[in-house]
Structures are given as C-alpha cells and as structure tokens.
C-alpha cells in the first residue's frame, strides 16, 4: 500500500513516470489501487505510455476484481466512448455502470447517473445483454455457496453441482461463443473453444479463478468475431443436440498449413472414417457468406472411400476456388460426411448467406434423424487469411 500511495502522490504532482514505477511494483502484489492507477495511465497516455483503452480495460478489470468501484465506473466510460482499436460497446458499458451503481461507494452516485444516460441511449437488446453480463460477472466474483444438508427424513436429493458443473453452466451463457470445459490430470481444468473478442477470454480466466481457487486452469480459445462466431455456435448446438458427431474425420489444408493468402487456391485434405461416405465441404467467410466447395457442378456427389485420404482440388477439371480478399482474419472450413447424401432441398447457388444455409442444413439433419439414419460426421477447421 505504501507503493500505491506513493504512486498516487506522484500522479497528483504530475510526476507520471515515477507514478508508473511505484504502481508497477504494487500491482505485482495485486494491489487494487495500483492496478487502477496503471489503468489511468493507459487510458490517458501518461507516464511515457501510449494511450490504449485495451490495456486500460485490462488493468481496470483487475482493480474491479479487487473491489475498486471507481474502476467499474471508468470501464463504463471507456466502453461507451470507444477509441483506437477499441470499438464502443453499449452492452459492456451498461454492464459496468450497473455494477458500479450497485456498490456502496461514493462513485455509486455518479455511476447511477451514467446508468440512466446509457439506458436512454442503448437499445433494449443492449440493456438486456448488459444486465446478463453483469449477472455473470457477479457469479464469477462469488465463490459457490454450499447448500445446507437435507434433513435426515427428507427424500434423497441429487448432490450439489460441482465447480466443473457450474463452470459448464456459466460457459453456456457466453454470447457468440462455443466453449467446452473438462478436467485433466493433476487437477487441471481446461477450457477450449472460441470467443468473439479478447475481453471474453479474460472473463474465462476470472470465472475459473473464482470456481477453482488455487487450482491451475488452462484456457485454450481462439477469437472468432461476429458473424462467423454465430456459425460456430450453430454447429456446436447441432453437435450437442446429437444431430452431428465430431469424430473419425480429419480435415486440414494441404501442406500442413494454417493460413491462406489472398488469391491462393484452397486445397483441402480430408481423411475419412472406416466406411464409405458422401461429403459436403463448405467455406464460411467473415462477411457472413458460405461458399459450397463440394459437391459442385463438376462433381454433383462427392464421395470418399472407406479409410481413404483425398485432396479436394482439381485444376484440370476446373474445380478450384481461391481465397478471397478483405476482410481478412479467421475464417472457417467445415466437412460433413454421411452414409448417404444430405437432402438440402432445391439446389443453392455456389455462394449464399451462411444463416440461410444453416437453416437448410438443420432441416436436412432433422429429416435424417426421423428416418433413423446414422449421424453425419463433422470436422471444423479455422484458417487465417491475409493479403498476399
């Protein structure tokens, strides 16, 4: 606390470089006042630091976990304003205003005023999402309370949910995210999948720290922004519902690559299960559309022999597709293998909106289940695209 106080004294004198040094030392020990101070320096670009709302957000969150209401108030302000490489998010701003307004702190009064202002500017959907995020934050900050023991005369009841059960339930509340949690050797908890932005990844660490205090957690997630994240969520929902099986199907880009350059041919390599299948291979782009690679006009039914590996790319037959242009980032290739062709209704154009295709796919899978056919296999491949 002496370092944090010294940092505040230096800051008030305009000695920002000394404040930075003092606060960095205290922040290493988890001092909320120092963490808040570092957030201020990054928010306003002082102490020789480049202004960065992204870094300010990181330090303000740490201070908020330590009970610093002023940090919650500052988070509401920066998320409502936005900045360079930090687009505004009214739902996130409303979340922090709600949390700060509910605290017993002098900052609560200002936060309530800000809450009213944001409530008037935000849409009903943004306000509802902000309330949901605030509830999830509170859950992450509060360790689970044990349920009282049932009376001896009561009927047997199910045991209380384990921390892993609670984690899985909380993961299901993350918007536009496909997340899974499992217990590994040595008490390690592993969270994997995708989230729409880096702030959601930070929330995963916060949630795991509260549910598993003192135990190691590994967060292995990739950032996939909207609208592509909703496609991943749709496939995850189909898998969870039992309409698709995610096994025995290996999908990759030819040559062990993980990225595509603009204008480069898309060469997909697929290894099938131990029985013959028909295939669908689709490319979902960041602009919300899907390109149907196989089947196509040149090969109306794409087949894969039992246990075979095939490269899907045929320059001689004219069946080639090249990686597109902007926007660049993480895109998705999917493969579906089924014993018989999926009935997707009337033939679609080679490119169509992803949401439209997913509706047709859901209907086709429901029809297969009604006919008692086996579940198709699903393989997902995230690829990075960039300019040539």
């Amino acid at each position: 606390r002496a370092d944090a106080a010294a940092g505040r004294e230096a800051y008030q004198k305009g000695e920002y470089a000394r404040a930075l040094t003092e606060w960095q030392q205290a922040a290493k020990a988890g001092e909320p006042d120092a963490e808040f101070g570092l957030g201020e320096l990054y928010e306003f670009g002082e102490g020789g630091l480049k202004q960065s709302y992204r870094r300010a957000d990181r330090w303000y969150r740490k201070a908020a976990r330590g009970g610093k209401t002023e940090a919650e108030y500052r988070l509401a302000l920066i998320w409502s304003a936005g900045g360079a490489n930090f687009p505004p998010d009214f739902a996130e701003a409303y979340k922090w205003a709600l949390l700060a307004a509910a605290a017993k702190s002098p900052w609560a009064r200002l936060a309530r005023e800000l809450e009213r202002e944001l409530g008037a500017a935000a849409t009903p959907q943004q306000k509802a999402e902000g309330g949901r995020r605030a509830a999830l934050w509170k859950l992450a900050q509060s360790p689970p309370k044990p349920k009282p023991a049932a009376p001896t005369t009561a009927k047997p009841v199910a045991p209380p949910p384990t921390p892993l059960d609670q984690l899985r339930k909380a993961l299901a509340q993350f918007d536009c995210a496909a997340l899974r949690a499992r217990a590994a050797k040595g008490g390690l908890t592993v969270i994997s999948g995708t989230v729409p932005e880096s702030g959601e990844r930070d929330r995963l660490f916060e949630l795991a720290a509260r549910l598993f205090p003192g135990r190691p957690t590994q967060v292995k997630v990739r950032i996939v922004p909207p609208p592509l994240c909703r496609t991943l969520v749709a496939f995850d929902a189909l898998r969870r519902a039992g309409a698709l099986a995610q096994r025995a199907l290996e999908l990759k880009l030819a040559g062990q690559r993980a990225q595509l350059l603009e204008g480069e041919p898309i060469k997909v390599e697929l290894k099938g299960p131990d029985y013959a299948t028909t295939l669908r291979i689709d490319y979902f782009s960041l602009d919300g559309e899907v390109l149907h690679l196989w089947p196509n006009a040149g090969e109306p039914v794409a087949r894969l022999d039992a246990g075979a590996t095939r490269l899907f790319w045929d320059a001689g037959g004219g069946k080639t597709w090249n990686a597109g242009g902007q926007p660049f980032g993480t895109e998705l290739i999917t493969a579906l293998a089924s014993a018989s062709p999926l009935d997707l209704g009337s033939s679609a154009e080679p490119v169509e909106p992803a949401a439209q295709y997913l509706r047709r796919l859901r209907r086709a899978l429901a029809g297969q289940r009604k006919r008692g056919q086996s579940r198709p296999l699903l393989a997902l491949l995230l690829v990075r695209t960039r300019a040539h």
Side-chain angles (χ1 to χ4, degrees):
R1 285 192 171 277
D3 289 339
R8 178 56 59 187
E9 180 183 355
Y11 184 87
Q12 291 171 345
K13 292 179 178 179
E15 299 173 2
Y16 301 125
R18 184 163 71 87
L20 173 63
T21 301
E22 298 285 357
W23 278 336
Q24 283 176 328
Q25 293 299 319
K28 289 179 181 179
E31 170 55 55
D33 288 339
E35 292 166 343
F36 176 80
L38 291 175
E40 283 186 285
L41 292 177
Y42 277 113
E43 180 182 355
F44 299 108
E46 296 166 332
L49 299 175
K50 182 180 179 181
Q51 185 185 42
S52 170
Y53 278 11
R54 184 71 59 189
R55 292 180 180 271
D57 172 75
R58 177 191 171 208
W59 285 110
Y60 282 152
R61 283 175 185 267
K62 288 178 178 288
R65 285 200 298 273
K68 193 80 174 169
T69 305
E70 188 178 356
E72 296 174 335
Y73 178 72
R74 296 304 311 175
L75 283 164
L77 289 176
I78 64 174
W79 277 107
S80 63
N85 300 316
F86 193 85
D89 185 334
F90 268 38
E92 190 70 7
Y94 193 67
K95 158 194 162 181
W96 290 112
L98 285 173
L99 292 168
K104 295 180 179 178
S105 163
W107 289 95
R109 181 181 59 80
L110 286 174
R112 285 191 289 272
E113 294 177 4
L114 181 58
E115 177 194 346
R116 286 192 292 271
E117 293 174 7
L118 291 172
T123 65
Q125 293 80 7
Q126 289 170 330
K127 291 173 65 176
E129 173 62 14
R132 187 189 67 81
R133 294 183 190 179
L136 186 59
W137 171 269
K138 290 178 182 178
L139 173 64
Q141 308 315 304
S142 304
K145 296 180 180 179
K147 291 185 178 180
T152 55
T153 56
K155 294 181 180 180
V157 295
T162 65
L164 185 59
D165 293 333
Q166 295 181 53
L167 174 61
R168 286 170 174 157
K169 183 177 180 180
L171 294 184
Q173 303 302 313
F174 278 64
D175 183 47
C176 210
L179 295 166
R180 294 168 293 282
R182 63 180 177 88
K185 293 181 180 178
L188 177 68
T189 302
V190 179
I191 302 174
S192 58
T194 62
V195 291
E197 51 96 12
S198 59
E200 298 292 86
R201 182 171 54 193
D202 293 339
R203 290 170 60 201
L204 293 175
F205 283 106
E206 296 161 0
L207 185 60
R210 292 295 174 179
L211 291 175
F212 303 94
R215 289 170 55 184
T217 302
Q218 188 177 59
V219 176
K220 302 192 305 183
V221 298
R222 292 186 66 170
I223 297 174
V224 180
L228 192 58
C229 62
R230 304 207 178 279
T231 298
L232 282 170
V233 170
F235 276 109
D236 192 55
L238 289 170
R239 181 186 61 81
R240 291 175 185 271
L244 294 171
Q246 204 163 346
R247 57 177 175 78
L249 192 63
E250 299 178 18
L251 174 66
K252 63 181 180 180
L253 291 178
Q256 302 291 337
R257 303 182 59 198
Q259 71 173 9
L260 287 168
L261 301 181
E262 181 181 10
E264 201 174 41
I266 303 170
K267 300 180 181 180
V268 178
E269 186 176 301
L270 195 64
K271 181 178 180 181
D274 56 3
Y275 56 90
T277 58
T278 62
L279 297 169
R280 288 200 62 87
I281 304 176
D282 297 296
Y283 189 106
F284 293 84
S285 61
L286 275 170
D287 57 7
E289 294 190 324
V290 55
L291 166 65
H292 303 304
L293 303 178
W294 260 268
N296 50 55
E299 190 173 351
V301 179
R303 302 186 186 279
L304 189 61
D305 294 335
T309 298
R310 178 180 169 187
L311 177 64
F312 286 84
W313 179 73
D314 183 2
K319 295 181 291 231
T320 62
W321 292 266
N322 295 334
Q326 294 183 351
F328 299 113
T330 300
E331 299 189 313
L332 173 68
I333 300 176
T334 65
L336 290 169
S338 54
S340 58
L342 289 169
D343 181 10
L344 290 164
S346 58
S347 60
E349 295 295 322
V351 178
E352 66 175 310
Q356 175 179 295
Y357 169 63
L358 289 169
R359 285 194 296 270
R360 296 196 300 124
L361 178 60
R362 280 191 288 267
R363 287 196 295 267
L365 293 173
Q368 279 210 330
R369 295 186 73 177
K370 286 181 179 179
R371 293 189 294 271
Q373 296 175 335
S374 60
R375 292 181 299 169
L377 305 179
L378 168 69
L380 303 173
L381 176 65
L382 290 170
V383 297
R384 292 286 298 173
T385 60
R386 63 182 179 87
H388 200 285

